[in-house]
């Protein structure tokens, strides 16, 4: 039994609306249901969503501040003022800066750009940068993707005689800066109808206000990158910008974008928003995380193809380095958190800080810990000299992290962000109070339900619904991203027909699933080890995205697995494992991610004679087989009520008797999964189901060997030479003869009884027990997984 990592939720279907929309637009019921669920429940709305329309774009002068900003920029152009574009170091800030460079070049302006260094300077407008701007003769600063919280810095700029136009999209604070113009759709009194623009989207609207219909179409490519990278909702105007950007990108005139697509392994003709999010954006962000974002700006704005290839290659290398840095910090942060959990439990908000945690990647680390623990996470780097802490937060849907930070604003020097993500800085001596204040706030907001991760699905379907035509038709909903995710479907009760690992070191998993004779391939990246837990015949539920797999000119539908569950108890057939102890630890780790809301609890059972070290069975309850009690704990502390909570039972050795097997099921009644890890005995070492012929042959041999008292070990040795049976089997048969008085045992020797009383073999308890034990051993040694599972299920029901 494997539990899904998250709780899947799919909306109730509305067959009437779905059918009506499907008929009016001549689309499939699957596509129609998706449109209805996403609010496109009329033919007109659905057409605009799928094909676009004029209503997607709004007059840029509806943005408050635009009417003031445009004349000021025109004046600067007319008077040949020197302008400074002040950006940010993330992909949205880089894209915004690049777009402003194209705009100011187009207008023939005199300008410079400034992007702060993430580690050395941090986010936002800085006074020292304004001092530098003054030295360069700057009289107008245009901020992009930043500035809405820079109250004091903009006041400082005014004192220097520099006007500041702010273009931003972050949440406005209560105290707004007194800039020459503030352009932000989220300002409380801004009438702009679409509030979801990225920083680059606001910059694009400024370009529209200045150029009107003359904005070059290819600039949408830059807008698309920042919009997707900053996780803005792909609805309304963003959807239009990104769609147009992707269309242009397929024949991009920008050497930098072409080179970036190439190093990201993206085919230009099929580039998608998903490619931007997982291919292009991480490489652009790597520039600002580990170096300086100026390198990425140069890439996006160069006209030199050779220079573009050089910078794209550098960003690719930086991204690889970034991945290694993230991996290291995640390991350190996890160890630090686990130590805290062991002492005080898992906090509502995880706050971790340490020196040497590169401030450029702490946001990624926070995201990875959130995924693992499903708690809001704040990761901070402590400067070794100043003690200042700079960090990033990532949050779950139940907690607006910006509001949480606002509740303890007095403890921080600076903060800003969104409900789901934020950044902050504070002195090290305030960390403890910061942690306590945030957790006190969270305790008043969060409920137990908020800590259960929920994944939204788009409906429950069958494999028959997931045709190639359906997969192709779903592309009409693209581009996919925030607020318009790739459709996810729940498929229940699919049988695993084939399982195999693929990729380097078997890192990835490929399944063939079947339902009512219809099959489909499913791929799960990074889930290769799960192949051991999903043998053919397993019935599984999956949460998956539908895609098209193209190979050698053929196309077929394919599922991309996001999550899975096995509703029934499982038997993991790993018989003959080279290292049973190591394999048990591996299985425990695999199941840990699929254990649901309760942590996996494991028991390992083995023969007392086992000599291999057990140190790898950390955290497991250890048990040994016992001739009298069936099984008993290796350590007295393992015996108790906790054994009823065991969910994974690892049999390092097989039980020797039916009584030991029954004892397993009695001791561990709620076991969800059993892993068989025992060795496979050679043929002659195995027991056989006894027959009259076996005993008849043996009787004759004993008569010739033990006519007089003969040491038992010598009898067994001679019998094994003259018989096809092994010593174990022969010893058990001697027990039967002894019980029936066909032989006499005395002082370690055996004597054949020449005229025993006639007795039936079935009258012997040893004979009956040998039959049951041999049958059990046959299943454990030779039975298929299905046969063994059925055998154990029948014994388990008998034990319960």
């Amino acid at each position: 039994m494997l539990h899904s990592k998250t709780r899947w939720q799919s909306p109730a279907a509305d067959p009437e609306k779905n059918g009506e929309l499907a008929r009016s637009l001549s689309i499939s019921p699957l596509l129609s249901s998706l449109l209805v669920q996403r609010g496109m429940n009329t033919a007109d709305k659905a057409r605009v969503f799928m094909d676009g329309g004029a209503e997607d774009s709004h007059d840029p002068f509806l943005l408050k501040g635009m009417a003031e900003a445009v004349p000021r920029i025109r004046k600067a152009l007319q008077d040949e003022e020197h302008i400074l574009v002040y950006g940010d170091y993330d992909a949205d800030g880089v894209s915004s800066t690049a777009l402003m460079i194209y705009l100011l070049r187009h207008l023939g302006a005199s300008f410079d750009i400034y992007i702060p260094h993430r580690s050395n300077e941090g986010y936002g407008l800085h006074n020292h940068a304004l001092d530098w701007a003054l030295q360069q003769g700057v009289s107008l600063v245009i901020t992009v993707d930043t500035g809405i919280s820079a109250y004091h810095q903009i006041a400082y700029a005014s004192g220097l005689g520099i006007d500041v136009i702010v273009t931003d999209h972050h949440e406005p604070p209560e105290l707004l800066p007194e800039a020459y113009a503030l352009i932000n759709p989220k300002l409380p009194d801004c009438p702009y109808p679409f509030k979801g623009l990225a920083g680059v989207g606001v910059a694009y609207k400024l370009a529209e206000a200045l150029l009107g219909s003359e904005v070059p179409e290819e600039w949408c490519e830059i807008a698309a990158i920042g919009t997707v990278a900053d996780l803005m909702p792909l609805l309304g105007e963003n959807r239009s910008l990104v769609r147009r950007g992707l269309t242009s990108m397929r024949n991009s005139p920008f050497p930098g974008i072409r080179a970036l697509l190439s190093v990201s392994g993206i085919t230009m003709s099929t580039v998608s928003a998903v490619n931007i999010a997982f291919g292009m954006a991480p490489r652009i962000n790597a520039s600002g995380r580990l170096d300086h974002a100026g390198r990425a700006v140069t890439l996006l704005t160069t006209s030199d193809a050779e220079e573009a290839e050089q910078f794209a290659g550098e960003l690719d290398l930086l991204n690889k380095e970034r991945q290694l840095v993230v991996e290291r910090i995640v390991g350190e942060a996890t160890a630090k958190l686990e130590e805290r959990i062991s002492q005080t439990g898992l906090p509502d908000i995880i706050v971790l800080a340490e020196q040497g945690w590169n401030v450029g990647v702490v946001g990624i680390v926070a995201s990875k810990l959130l995924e693992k623990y499903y708690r809001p996470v704040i990761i901070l780097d402590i400067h070794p000299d100043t003690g200042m802490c700079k960090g990033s937060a990532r949050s779950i849907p139940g907690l607006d992290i910006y509001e949480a930070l606002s509740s303890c604003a007095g403890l921080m020097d600076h903060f800003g962000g969104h409900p789901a993500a934020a950044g902050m800085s504070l002195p090290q001596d305030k960390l403890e109070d910061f942690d306590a204040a945030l957790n006190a706030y969270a305790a008043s907001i969060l409920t137990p339900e908020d800590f259960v991760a929920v994944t939204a699905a788009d409906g429950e379907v069958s494999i028959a619904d997931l045709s190639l035509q359906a997969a192709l038709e779903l592309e009409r909903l693209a581009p996919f991203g925030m607020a318009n995710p790739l459709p996810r479907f729940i498929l229940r009760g699919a049988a695993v027909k084939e399982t195999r690992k693929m990729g380097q070191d078997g890192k990835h998993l490929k399944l063939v699933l079947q339902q009512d004779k219809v099959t489909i391939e499913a791929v799960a990246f990074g889930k290769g080890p799960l192949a051991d837990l999903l043998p053919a015949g397993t019935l599984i539920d999956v949460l998956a995205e539908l895609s098209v797999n193209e190979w050698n000119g053929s196309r077929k539908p394919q599922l991309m697995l996001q999550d899975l569950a096995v509703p029934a108890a499982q038997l993991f057939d790993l018989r003959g494992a080279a290292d049973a102890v190591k394999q048990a630890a591996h299985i425990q780790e695999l199941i840990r991610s699929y254990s649901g809301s309760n942590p996996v609890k494991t028991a390992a059972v083995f023969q007392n004679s086992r000599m291999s070290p057990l140190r790898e069975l950390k955290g497991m309850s250890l048990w040994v087989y016992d001739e009298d009690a069936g099984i008993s704990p290796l350590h007295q502390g393992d015996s108790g009520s906790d054994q009823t909570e065991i969910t994974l039972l690892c049999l390092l050795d097989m039980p020797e008797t039916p009584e030991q097997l029954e004892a397993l099921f009695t001791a561990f009644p709620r076991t969800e999964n059993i892993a068989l890890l025992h060795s496979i005995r050679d043929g002659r070492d195995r027991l056989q189901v006894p027959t009259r012929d076996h005993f008849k042959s043996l009787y004759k041999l004993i008569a010739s060997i033990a006519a007089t008292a003969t040491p038992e070990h010598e009898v067994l040795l001679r019998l094994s030479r003259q018989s096809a049976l092994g010593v174990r089997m022969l010893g058990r048969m001697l027990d039967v003869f002894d019980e029936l008085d066909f032989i006499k045992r005395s002082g370690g020797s055996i004597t054949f009884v020449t005229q025993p009383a006639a007795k039936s073999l079935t009258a012997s308890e040893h004979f009956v027990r040998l039959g049951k034990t041999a049958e059990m051993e046959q299943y454990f040694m030779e039975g298929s997984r299905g046969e063994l599972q059925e055998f154990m299920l029948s014994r388990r029901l008998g034990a319960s």
Side-chain angles (χ1 to χ4, degrees):
M1 180 178 287
L2 301 180
H3 298 270
S4 59
K5 289 188 172 183
T6 66
R7 189 173 74 241
W8 308 340
Q9 274 188 353
S10 62
D14 189 333
E16 189 176 331
K17 281 186 180 177
N18 293 348
E20 183 183 337
L21 192 63
R23 286 188 296 273
S24 63
L25 295 176
S26 298
I27 58 177
S28 70
L30 187 64
L31 179 57
S32 174
S33 68
L34 290 168
L35 287 163
V36 170
Q37 288 162 18
R38 298 181 184 205
M40 316 306 154
N41 51 9
T42 67
D44 288 342
K45 286 181 181 178
R47 283 194 193 94
V48 170
F49 188 76
M50 291 190 293
D51 305 323
E55 52 267 54
D56 278 346
S57 186
H58 308 290
D59 183 349
F61 286 97
L62 289 175
L63 281 161
K64 184 185 177 186
M66 192 67 79
E68 292 75 30
V70 169
R72 179 64 186 89
I73 295 171
R74 291 198 191 284
K75 179 179 183 301
L77 295 170
Q78 183 179 338
D79 296 346
E80 297 183 351
E81 295 180 55
H82 197 48
I83 301 170
L84 179 68
V85 177
Y86 194 104
D88 187 28
Y89 37 67
D90 68 1
D92 188 16
V94 166
S95 303
S96 305
T97 304
L99 187 60
M100 288 302 297
I101 289 173
Y102 281 114
L103 174 61
L104 293 178
R105 282 179 183 171
H106 186 88
L107 294 169
S110 168
F111 69 94
D112 265 317
I113 68 165
Y114 192 100
I115 296 179
H117 191 284
R118 185 190 287 259
S119 299
N120 300 338
E121 297 173 276
Y123 177 81
L125 198 57
H126 297 286
N127 288 353
H128 65 263
L130 294 169
D131 290 335
W132 173 84
L134 185 65
Q135 293 171 5
Q136 306 308 307
V138 169
S139 54
L140 174 63
V141 172
I142 303 174
T143 73
V144 287
D145 193 35
T146 189
I148 198 63
S149 299
Y151 179 87
H152 297 291
Q153 293 83 357
I154 289 175
Y156 184 76
S158 297
L160 297 177
I162 298 174
D163 290 336
V164 180
I165 294 172
V166 171
T167 72
D168 201 353
H169 73 126
H170 293 94
E171 296 293 333
E174 287 187 21
L175 186 62
L176 294 171
E178 296 178 1
Y180 189 93
L182 292 178
I183 305 174
N184 184 335
K186 292 180 181 174
L187 287 169
D189 52 351
C190 178
Y192 199 74
F194 184 68
K195 305 297 183 182
L197 290 172
V200 71
V202 180
Y204 186 86
K205 297 310 289 187
L206 179 59
E208 277 191 341
L210 285 161
L211 301 181
S213 60
E214 295 180 14
V215 177
E217 185 65 12
E218 60 266 26
W219 290 6
C220 288
E221 297 179 38
I222 308 294
I225 292 172
T227 300
V228 172
D230 216 40
L231 304 180
M232 292 297 101
L234 293 192
L235 301 173
E237 195 160 12
N238 284 346
R239 184 173 173 78
S240 174
L241 274 173
V242 172
R243 177 185 274 142
R244 290 163 56 200
L246 289 169
T247 300
S248 177
M249 205 177 286
R250 285 163 193 150
N251 293 284
S252 180
F254 298 122
I257 287 180
R258 298 174 74 92
L260 190 57
L261 288 168
S262 177
V263 298
S264 303
I266 299 167
T267 304
M268 281 187 67
S269 61
T270 58
V271 63
S272 67
V274 175
N275 295 147
I276 292 176
F278 295 101
M280 301 174 75
R283 288 168 173 81
I284 293 173
N285 276 322
S287 178
R289 293 185 191 283
L290 299 186
D291 186 45
H292 192 280
R295 195 183 307 206
V297 172
T298 303
L299 172 67
L300 292 182
T301 55
T302 184
S303 57
D304 186 318
E306 189 174 330
E307 183 181 45
E309 288 181 11
Q310 176 190 334
F311 278 107
E314 290 174 3
L315 293 193
D316 190 47
L317 289 174
L318 279 174
N319 189 52
K320 289 181 171 67
E321 182 184 344
R322 186 270 306 167
Q323 291 169 335
L324 294 174
V325 172
V326 167
E327 187 178 340
R328 172 184 65 81
I329 300 174
V330 166
E332 293 174 4
T334 300
K336 197 178 181 79
L337 177 58
E338 287 293 340
E339 183 180 352
R340 178 174 174 180
I341 291 171
S342 67
Q343 296 171 356
T344 59
L346 183 61
D348 288 348
I349 296 184
I350 297 167
V351 180
L352 299 170
E354 190 60 76
Q355 287 186 19
W357 285 359
N358 189 312
V359 71
V361 301
V362 290
I364 301 173
V365 175
S367 294
K368 290 187 176 294
L369 262 66
L370 184 150
E371 183 180 348
K372 182 172 183 178
Y373 296 96
Y374 203 66
R375 293 288 192 278
V377 180
I378 297 176
I379 302 293
L380 302 111
D381 171 59
I382 305 172
H383 194 283
D385 299 325
T386 65
M388 281 300 296
C389 304
K390 292 181 181 178
S392 288
R394 298 292 184 270
S395 194
I396 59 178
L399 186 85
D400 183 328
I401 196 65
Y402 182 81
E403 290 297 325
L405 292 171
S406 299
S407 72
C408 56
L411 295 171
M412 294 173 285
D413 286 14
H414 173 83
F415 76 98
H418 308 292
M424 76 295 297
S425 61
L426 67 154
Q428 185 176 358
D429 59 12
K430 292 185 179 178
L431 265 178
E432 193 173 327
D433 291 341
F434 177 66
D435 189 335
L438 281 174
N439 272 284
Y441 176 84
S444 69
I445 298 293
L446 293 169
T447 65
E449 290 74 25
D450 291 321
F451 295 127
V452 178
V454 174
T455 301
D458 293 279
E460 296 198 15
V461 298
S462 66
I463 293 179
D465 297 322
L466 305 176
S467 63
L468 175 61
Q469 185 58 39
L472 294 170
E473 202 175 37
L474 292 185
E475 282 301 311
R476 297 192 67 185
L477 299 179
F480 297 112
M482 291 298 290
N484 183 44
L486 274 161
R488 289 180 172 179
F489 303 105
I490 298 171
L491 188 63
R492 297 196 187 275
V496 175
K497 190 177 179 185
E498 295 176 27
T499 303
R500 69 181 177 90
K501 298 176 182 179
M502 62 179 194
Q504 189 175 10
D505 301 322
K507 188 176 181 181
H508 309 303
L509 175 69
K510 187 171 187 178
L511 303 173
V512 176
L513 302 179
Q514 182 170 4
Q515 241 181 13
D516 300 325
K517 298 183 179 180
V518 184
T519 63
I520 192 169
E521 290 183 353
V523 173
F525 291 112
K527 299 289 192 298
L530 280 180
D532 295 333
L533 309 185
L534 298 170
T538 305
L539 294 180
I540 68 172
D541 300 336
V542 301
L543 178 72
E545 296 168 355
L546 180 62
S547 63
V548 176
N549 180 28
E550 299 194 29
W551 180 253
N552 283 344
S554 68
R555 296 193 298 179
K556 58 184 176 181
Q558 177 178 267
L559 293 178
M560 306 303 294
L561 294 190
Q562 305 302 311
D563 199 1
L564 59 86
V566 178
Q570 287 181 270
L571 186 71
F572 303 132
D573 186 1
L574 300 164
R575 288 174 288 181
D579 188 334
V581 170
K582 188 173 183 179
Q583 191 71 278
H586 173 64
I587 292 293
Q588 177 181 244
E589 190 58 34
L590 279 180
I591 289 181
R592 195 185 303 278
S593 298
Y594 292 89
S595 59
S597 56
N598 297 318
V600 61
K601 293 185 178 179
T602 308
V605 189
F606 42 88
Q607 296 295 343
N608 226 341
S609 57
R610 174 169 281 273
M611 302 297 292
S612 60
L614 304 174
R615 57 180 175 273
E616 288 191 61
L617 302 180
K618 186 178 179 182
M620 294 189 192
S621 174
L622 304 180
W623 295 71
V624 293
Y625 293 109
D626 186 297
E627 283 193 19
D628 299 322
I631 62 168
S632 58
L634 183 64
H635 306 296
Q636 198 57 38
D638 284 339
S639 179
S641 59
D642 279 351
Q643 70 194 64
T644 63
E645 302 300 321
I646 295 296
T647 53
L648 170 63
L649 184 59
C650 294
L651 303 187
L652 307 186
D653 300 308
M654 65 165 281
E656 293 287 347
T657 66
E659 291 80 10
Q660 289 179 353
L661 181 60
E662 276 187 35
L664 285 173
F665 294 135
T666 302
F668 309 111
R670 298 181 188 174
T671 298
E672 296 177 349
N673 298 306
I674 299 175
L676 300 181
L677 302 154
H678 59 271
S679 58
I680 303 297
R681 288 192 173 109
D682 291 336
R684 286 201 85 211
D685 286 338
R686 297 180 191 174
L687 300 179
Q688 295 184 29
V689 176
T691 65
R692 282 185 170 276
D693 287 342
H694 285 140
F695 281 91
K696 188 176 179 181
S697 299
L698 187 64
Y699 188 78
K700 291 179 180 178
L701 288 172
I702 294 174
S704 64
I705 292 171
T708 58
T710 306
E712 185 166 341
H713 67 87
E714 185 179 327
V715 171
L716 284 171
L717 182 63
R718 293 176 64 181
L719 287 173
S720 69
R721 287 173 180 167
Q722 298 178 45
S723 165
L725 302 176
V727 171
R728 281 182 72 233
M729 182 68 181
L730 292 167
R732 302 289 181 97
M733 294 173 73
L734 290 180
D735 291 340
V736 175
F737 280 153
D738 184 28
E739 183 183 355
L740 296 177
D741 296 326
F742 292 170
I743 62 172
K744 282 188 178 179
R745 279 172 164 156
S746 178
S749 294
I750 289 178
T751 305
F752 177 71
V753 176
T754 53
Q755 290 183 330
K759 293 178 183 177
S760 170
L761 285 172
T762 55
S764 166
E765 290 185 9
H766 281 95
F767 178 81
V768 174
R769 192 177 188 204
L770 175 58
K772 290 180 179 179
T773 304
E775 179 192 26
M776 180 190 76
E777 186 166 305
Q778 276 192 350
Y779 276 108
F780 272 88
M781 291 292 163
E782 302 170 17
S784 67
R785 188 187 68 88
E787 291 169 340
L788 187 48
Q789 186 160 319
E790 188 175 335
F791 169 78
M792 294 188 75
L793 178 61
S794 66
R795 299 307 184 275
R796 181 174 183 170
L797 291 174
S800 60

